[in-house]
Amino acid sequence: MTTQRSTDRAGRDDTGLAVAVSRRSGVSRRGFLGGTGLVAITAAAGGAIPFAAGLSGGLVPAAMAQTAPAPFEFPGKVTGLSLLGDRPLVAETPEHLLDDETTPIEKFFIRNNGTPPDPVADPDSWQLTVEGLVDQPLTLTVGELKSRFENVTYRMVLECGGNGRAFFDPPARGNQWTNGGAGCAEWTGVRLGDVLKAAGVKPGAIYTAHYGADTHLSGDPARLPLSRGVRLEKAMEEHSLIVWGMNGQPLPEIHGGPLRLIIPGWPGSASHKWVNRIELRDVEHDGPGMTGTSYRVAIKPMIPGAEPESGNFRILESMPVRSIISSPANGTTLPAGSRRLALRGAAWNGEKGVQAVHVSVDFGATWHAAMLADPRNRYDWRRWTAEVDLPLDGYYEVWTRATDGEGVMQPHVAGNWNPQGYGGNPMHRIAVLVG
Ligand SMILES: Nc1nc2c(c(=O)[nH]1)N[C@H]1C(S)=C(S)[C@@H](COP(=O)(O)O)O[C@H]1N2
Ligand SMILES: [Mo]
């Protein structure tokens, strides 16, 4: 039996339910059911478990995995975001707050690595320099970007590379994101490729390097909080943008305003905020966040928790497929006798798109196809709806599982363990109690 924890790795308290059950039955939050587990869970869940026969000993019921988020107050943000860290500021959006077609700014997750720059009085005078392996280095103001290049708007997912990290066992280092280090907004700006072409890309250029105006937490001006880049082909894609607008509003300061990159489908860290300089290089960029095990996944599967072997890591590029149930919220109680449940959610993937979403209410014994809305453009998420039958009163888990454009599905548990916990995309599960 694994040891008990009454708080999770982010230090948040488990709900009373989780603590009560795990203490009584010896069930760890992510661990295994003991012999008395089912009896204790049934009691704690507050109802019978109609599909108990399918309850796996290797998974902890969704009700027990609930955590109470730390309260979070930030100007322009709803209070329901979950604070994962305050220095730097990091907050995720609980799945039930990702229920809008387009994620409103007030619900959009925040991920800082350093200290944001001071607000600027005139956003249009913010400057971006493009240099390195270009024919003609350029310095352009936001106003010039707006007037000199074609303006485009796409709705696209921005997702932190560490989204899903909390599902790794043993724990992986870093912010313990569940599924809410992601949002889907309308981004307005110009194509990064158009600007690079205007500077003239030299033949030897293979990689970008991104720099911004935020500062290192230590206060040392010689240190950068983050500087990542992408392969030139990715930078030249038509959806890779330099943006000043979010959901039709000026890009908020907390999201990188006046100017940021949006490199869709790849870890959010490539989408540099407060961007003021882009360099083209003839080598893979080596700024903070590019080396070691940062934003890298294991090539040859490693033993979970083992020491990383150098050379066994590749840069995480396209993000794995993920789906969430955005309605109802985890822990919802329905009136006794409720026999039908309407579900809503979203599914997305890095570069391969989403071809299907399935839901299950019987611990995965049977699956039902959800109805998928079309994406507006590449890199948009797909909203989905489904209705399921609940044959009896009692405790249910509703599971969702998406399949990407190449037929790859979300796994039951986070696989391909790596030291910093990238690529964790197990199925999302919610607990629902009828009666
Ligand atoms: N300059 C700068 N850009 C940055 C970061 C940062 O710390 N500094 N964080 C990155 C990471 S890790 C992510 S996931 C996204 C988060 O964007 P958001 O805060 O607008 O949601 O911004 C990226 N761009
Ligand atoms: Mo991130």
Side-chain angles (χ1 to χ4, degrees):
M1 194 54 55
T2 50
T3 43
Q4 301 306 303
R5 273 192 292 253
S6 60
T7 56
D8 73 7
R9 292 188 294 272
R12 295 169 295 189
D13 289 323
D14 280 334
T15 59
L17 177 63
V19 173
V21 175
S22 60
R23 292 219 176 109
R24 219 179 318 138
S25 65
V27 178
S28 74
R29 248 183 100 233
R30 276 158 242 261
F32 303 92
L33 282 178
T36 57
L38 191 54
V39 175
I41 288 164
T42 306
I49 306 179
F51 291 107
L55 215 162
S56 157
L59 290 170
V60 176
M64 299 170 59
Q66 281 188 65
T67 51
F72 176 65
E73 299 282 348
F74 190 84
K77 293 291 175 183
V78 298
T79 51
L81 301 188
S82 314
L83 185 67
L84 301 186
D86 53 11
R87 201 174 174 276
L89 184 61
V90 183
E92 76 169 331
T93 316
E95 293 91 348
H96 71 273
L97 291 183
L98 289 171
D99 196 37
D100 302 86
E101 280 283 313
T102 302
T103 312
I105 289 170
E106 60 179 13
K107 297 177 186 169
F108 209 91
F109 81 100
I110 299 169
R111 187 352 175 182
N112 288 343
N113 286 269
T115 308
D118 290 333
V120 295
D122 175 19
D124 276 358
S125 63
W126 181 271
Q127 292 184 329
L128 170 68
T129 296
V130 178
E131 59 186 17
L133 287 172
V134 294
D135 299 327
Q136 182 62 57
L138 287 179
T139 295
L140 297 158
T141 63
V142 171
E144 287 166 334
L145 286 171
K146 287 178 177 173
S147 63
R148 277 188 50 184
F149 301 90
E150 185 191 346
N151 291 197
V152 292
T153 298
Y154 295 121
R155 191 171 75 179
M156 301 190 285
V157 171
L158 178 69
E159 180 173 26
C160 183
N163 204 23
R165 182 177 291 137
F167 305 120
F168 281 102
D169 199 2
R173 283 199 310 277
N175 294 297
Q176 297 299 305
W177 303 102
T178 61
N179 288 303
C184 189
E186 291 171 12
W187 307 102
T188 299
V190 296
R191 296 193 173 92
L192 172 58
D194 288 351
V195 176
L196 296 179
K197 277 182 221 154
V201 178
K202 283 198 167 156
I206 63 160
Y207 230 88
T208 62
H210 311 154
Y211 298 91
D214 50 339
T215 52
H216 196 269
L217 287 178
S218 64
D220 179 350
R223 295 175 71 185
L224 297 172
L226 181 77
S227 175
R228 302 200 65 236
V230 296
R231 285 186 286 115
L232 185 65
E233 303 83 82
K234 182 67 183 174
M236 300 304 285
E237 264 189 17
E238 67 165 312
H239 293 89
S240 290
L241 306 182
I242 306 173
V243 311
W244 57 76
M246 182 176 184
N247 293 350
Q249 306 289 313
L251 182 65
E253 282 150 17
I254 193 67
H255 295 299
L259 199 66
R260 78 175 300 167
L261 295 176
I262 292 291
I263 307 289
W266 285 25
S269 51
S271 294
H272 218 85
K273 305 199 279 189
W274 311 292
V275 66
N276 56 16
R277 187 161 71 90
I278 297 169
E279 192 188 329
L280 292 191
R281 305 192 60 179
D282 60 0
V283 291
E284 186 177 286
H285 184 43
D286 54 359
M290 289 301 296
T291 55
T293 55
S294 290
Y295 300 101
R296 282 174 195 250
V297 290
I299 298 167
K300 171 169 61 82
M302 57 186 292
I303 295 167
E307 280 304 309
E309 213 179 287
S310 74
N312 186 35
F313 293 90
R314 65 171 175 85
I315 294 176
L316 174 59
E317 295 187 336
S318 181
M319 292 290 290
V321 67
R322 187 182 306 276
S323 60
I324 55 164
I325 298 164
S326 60
S327 176
N330 188 19
T332 293
T333 299
L334 302 172
S338 303
R339 289 296 169 264
R340 245 4 230 155
L341 175 62
L343 304 170
R344 258 197 320 269
W348 62 92
N349 167 262
E351 297 186 325
K352 296 167 195 145
V354 169
Q355 60 168 266
V357 170
H358 290 87
V359 295
S360 176
V361 294
D362 55 11
F363 303 101
T366 60
W367 292 91
H368 312 275
M371 295 266 295
L372 286 174
D374 287 335
R376 285 192 196 166
N377 49 254
R378 194 173 178 204
Y379 299 113
D380 191 11
W381 64 13
R382 297 190 74 173
R383 302 296 312 179
W384 62 262
T385 53
E387 269 197 34
V388 289
D389 290 323
L390 305 175
L392 299 165
D393 285 359
Y395 171 86
Y396 292 85
E397 279 188 24
V398 187
W399 295 8
T400 176
R401 169 186 89 180
T403 306
D404 76 14
E406 292 181 353
V408 177
M409 285 178 191
Q410 289 179 260
H412 283 85
V413 294
N416 200 16
W417 192 94
N418 55 90
Q420 289 182 246
Y422 301 108
N425 67 333
M427 301 169 192
H428 179 214
R429 301 183 286 149
I430 63 164
V432 172
L433 187 64
V434 183

